[in-house]
Amino acid sequence: MSGLSVRGLWKAYPNADRKDELLVALEDIDLEIADNEFVCVLGPSGCGKSTLLRIAAGLEKPSLGTIETSSRPSVVFQEHGVFPWLTVAQNIGYPLKLRGLSRAQRNERVEQLLELVGLSEFGGYFPAQISGGMRQRTSVARALADDGDLLLMDEPFGALDEQTRVALQQELLQIWERTSKAVMFITHSVDEALMLADRVVVMSHRPGRIIDDIAVPFGRPRD
Ligand code: ADP
Ligand code: ADP
């Protein structure tokens, strides 16, 4: 099966302003993401992108519809993704610990992941001691440690300065080419979507629905 399959998804919340009405955040969403496919979900603020991601991640229930995933998804959020009380290496090693890997296995994997995201020198640092870009690298590495086939990212570079963001976009593509997971990457930036994606799914709001689904024609360099 594909990395992610969403069918007939609706999500309604109680409307805070009008108690007798519902706020329809997502209307009849169908979305398939194949293995190895990098899909950006693009749309204005409030169109339901984060809601879609939280439901795909299993963090929230749909009102209607079905979600199937090829494996337990790994999630990267914009901020606050890393545990401040753990070092960079401990953060990355945390999913491995949950999966019951031995200390030696964890050490080896954590070293590999630190290298993959360019943090080999920083394993012993705490999140407060490193830059925002490094914290996001830590988040990405921890998601990769999860070892699933599906990566869900909610504006992971949105809080970073332009230069760091461009560097991390490039790194993410390189990592993705090596690990080839199904990726759903949320953004409100057209540039970011075109730069990263195989396919761009465009959403509009009131209510949130998919209005276009575009294969990026010029593509990225591929092996
Ligand atoms: P986006 O990520 O595209 O900015 P969201 O998914 O955050 O959009 O929100 C979509 C709509 O659903 C918005 O109108 C938002 O106010 C509403 N919404 C999101 N989460 C909740 C919630 N927990 N309770 C009520 N309304 C919500
Ligand atoms: P535990 O809490 O199980 O004793 P640790 O706190 O020692 O584990 O570390 C968690 C994970 O991070 C382990 O895989 C460990 O090997 C790794 N690790 C800890 N510190 C570093 C470091 N400075 N560089 C690389 N890996 C580290």
Side-chain angles (χ1 to χ4, degrees):
M1 75 151 279
S2 60
L4 174 69
S5 174
V6 173
R7 299 223 184 89
L9 169 64
W10 292 69
K11 181 68 184 182
Y13 292 111
N15 191 328
D17 301 327
R18 310 180 65 133
K19 296 273 184 276
D20 52 338
E21 287 182 10
L22 290 174
L23 184 155
V24 179
L26 294 172
E27 182 184 89
D28 202 18
I29 302 286
D30 289 310
L31 177 62
E32 300 274 335
I33 301 182
D35 293 334
N36 307 347
E37 197 177 25
F38 198 125
V39 172
C40 280
V41 176
L42 174 71
S45 182
C47 73
K49 304 183 296 295
S50 295
T51 302
L52 174 60
L53 183 132
R54 287 196 306 271
I55 292 173
L59 298 172
E60 228 177 304
K61 286 190 174 154
S63 304
L64 259 181
T66 59
I67 291 93
E68 286 177 64
T69 58
S70 57
S71 70
R72 203 165 56 80
S74 317
V75 190
V76 181
F77 293 106
Q78 181 169 326
E79 281 179 285
H80 312 301
V82 292
F83 303 125
W85 58 89
L86 298 179
T87 64
V88 167
Q90 287 169 341
N91 265 284
I92 298 171
Y94 187 74
L96 304 174
K97 205 168 181 174
L98 292 185
R99 277 164 49 206
L101 270 69
S102 73
R103 192 184 184 83
Q105 288 171 315
R106 273 188 280 142
N107 273 339
E108 192 184 336
R109 188 74 184 118
V110 168
E111 295 293 342
Q112 287 169 353
L113 288 164
L114 283 169
E115 200 184 327
L116 193 64
V117 298
L119 289 178
S120 291
E121 310 297 311
F122 296 91
Y125 285 61
F126 284 92
Q129 299 173 303
I130 58 177
S131 68
M134 288 171 160
R135 281 195 289 275
Q136 280 312 75
R137 287 198 180 109
T138 305
S139 268
V140 170
R142 192 183 53 190
L144 295 171
D146 234 349
D147 226 25
D149 303 325
L150 175 62
L151 194 53
L152 305 173
M153 309 182 95
D154 191 351
E155 307 230 20
F157 309 142
L160 304 175
D161 63 84
E162 172 77 13
Q163 204 183 346
T164 310
R165 178 163 56 243
V166 170
L168 285 196
Q169 286 167 344
Q170 300 286 359
E171 282 175 29
L172 177 64
L173 281 182
Q174 282 168 15
I175 290 169
W176 174 76
E177 267 153 26
R178 279 197 261 169
T179 56
S180 64
K181 293 170 191 288
V183 179
M184 178 166 93
F185 185 107
I186 285 180
T187 181
H188 61 260
S189 156
V190 177
D191 287 346
E192 184 164 61
L194 290 177
M195 142 102 199
L196 291 172
D198 292 313
R199 245 173 80 209
V200 180
V201 169
V202 185
M203 292 182 67
S204 71
H205 66 349
R206 304 281 150 103
R209 66 177 154 227
I210 292 178
I211 54 166
D212 220 334
D213 191 330
I214 312 155
V216 177
F218 32 88
R220 290 180 263 102
R222 290 288 169 75
D223 42 87

